[in-house]
Amino acid sequence: MAGQLSPIDKAKYAAARRAIDFVENGMRVGLGTGSTAAWMVRCLGTRVREGGLKITAVATSTRTAELARQVGIDVVELDEAGWLDLTIDGADEFDPELALIKGGGGALLQEKIVATASDRMIVITDIAKEVSVLGRFPLPVEVIPFGWKATRALIEETLAGLDVLGHEVTLRMDGDAPFRTDEGNLILDLALMRIGNPRQVSLVLNQIPGIVENGLFIDICDMVVIGNGDGRVELREAGTGKITHDQVDFAEADNLFRDLDA
Ligand code: 5RP
């Protein structure tokens, strides 16, 4: 069954499957957004339905909330759950310090709020997202619709004084219309190419009126779980830099893969 999946989906599944081993009974868990996080939600759903796992789950987008409910996970609002034990989410890029770019799926605001309201954040990814310096992936920035062109102009002016290589700012589209976040905001994608000082860029961007939040996640991620298409996973811890290796067995996911095919 797993043979029908692409190597990249297998890698995403492997990372997701290994990461949910950190979820324990009774935990309050943040559920990330994106294709890798979707594997994690499906895997958790299997444990809830078939293994009797009891968790309080908080989703980082309406998409994730819908998927979670479909696979049997009850979802509550963050304010109802209070502080979370663990958030598991994907990322668009990670660097050696486990700083991240997120927001490729447009959910960066809720993702950042949920991750920072958690004791621990685990990022699930494949090796293609590892970079030595952040910036290859355009940095998503969420802005309010009011006066967004003025906000964009201020961003462009600000970027000229920062240690970044590119300065192009693009309004994200969804077909013919601007993409809207769950909060009804817009996303500007900043093609920075190389972000010399992510901490500074993040702080400076968030000073600009109109910007709600940016997709740089610094000192938030505690561990990255990197999946491979052959089931190998690498776990890297922030701070200690400790690295461990493991292997995920695809056979146990046959039901899950079959359900997706159906
Ligand atoms: C959504 C995100 C996602 O985590 C990120 O885009 C990675 O997505 P995928 O797992 O589909 O590659 O930040 O806002």
Side-chain angles (χ1 to χ4, degrees):
M1 269 314 197
Q4 290 161 16
L5 288 184
S6 69
I8 192 75
D9 271 327
K10 284 186 187 170
K12 289 176 182 184
Y13 167 79
R17 175 61 194 83
R18 181 62 185 86
I20 66 150
D21 287 343
F22 292 96
V23 178
E24 293 168 16
N25 224 17
M27 272 190 170
R28 287 162 296 177
V29 183
L31 309 176
T33 295
S35 56
T36 320
W39 281 113
M40 174 271 300
V41 174
R42 291 183 198 111
C43 291
L44 261 187
T46 305
R47 271 186 68 192
V48 167
R49 292 190 318 272
E50 297 170 14
L53 176 74
K54 299 246 181 300
I55 56 169
T56 301
V58 172
T60 53
S61 63
T62 48
R63 259 171 299 160
T64 295
E66 272 167 28
L67 176 63
R69 291 191 178 108
Q70 270 167 31
V71 300
I73 304 172
D74 288 335
V75 173
V76 301
E77 294 293 321
L78 178 59
D79 287 338
E80 195 182 329
W83 198 258
L84 305 181
D85 297 289
L86 171 65
T87 286
I88 306 178
D89 200 350
D92 299 299
E93 265 186 12
F94 66 97
D95 76 3
E97 269 72 54
L98 308 193
L100 317 170
I101 287 184
K102 284 186 54 55
L108 67 101
L109 179 59
Q110 290 190 23
E111 290 173 337
K112 207 180 243 191
I113 293 171
V114 169
T116 54
S118 306
D119 280 343
R120 207 161 171 227
M121 180 198 199
I122 297 181
V123 164
I124 46 179
T125 179
D126 56 86
I127 198 67
K129 291 174 173 173
E130 180 174 27
V131 293
S132 54
V133 179
L134 294 176
R136 192 176 64 197
F137 190 91
L139 176 65
V141 172
E142 182 156 344
V143 300
I144 65 162
F146 178 82
W148 73 268
K149 289 183 183 168
T151 306
R152 179 179 62 185
L154 268 175
I155 293 174
E156 284 165 348
E157 199 180 307
T158 304
L159 290 178
L162 293 173
D163 181 10
V164 295
L165 213 55
H167 297 129
E168 204 179 298
V169 179
T170 310
L171 177 67
R172 188 178 299 182
M173 301 296 288
D174 181 8
D176 291 337
F179 174 89
R180 294 284 182 157
T181 66
D182 274 351
E183 279 68 38
N185 292 323
L186 304 172
I187 297 276
L188 296 175
D189 289 304
L190 281 47
L192 306 180
M193 318 303 272
R194 182 186 179 285
I195 305 175
N197 187 340
R199 196 177 300 273
Q200 183 196 34
V201 169
S202 179
L203 287 173
V204 170
L205 283 176
N206 281 8
Q207 297 294 317
I208 297 175
I211 289 186
V212 183
E213 192 48 83
N214 71 80
L216 284 163
F217 283 49
I218 299 164
D219 296 336
I220 296 176
C221 169
D222 297 285
M223 176 187 277
V224 169
V225 181
I226 305 162
N228 287 279
D230 60 4
R232 281 179 300 121
V233 286
E234 180 176 315
L235 296 87
R236 286 192 208 167
E237 286 176 39
T240 62
K242 187 174 163 208
I243 296 179
T244 47
H245 294 97
D246 214 335
Q247 181 77 34
V248 163
D249 182 4
F250 290 117
E252 70 170 71
D254 270 359
N255 285 346
L256 204 159
F257 298 142
R258 202 173 296 122
D259 288 351
L260 283 177
D261 270 357

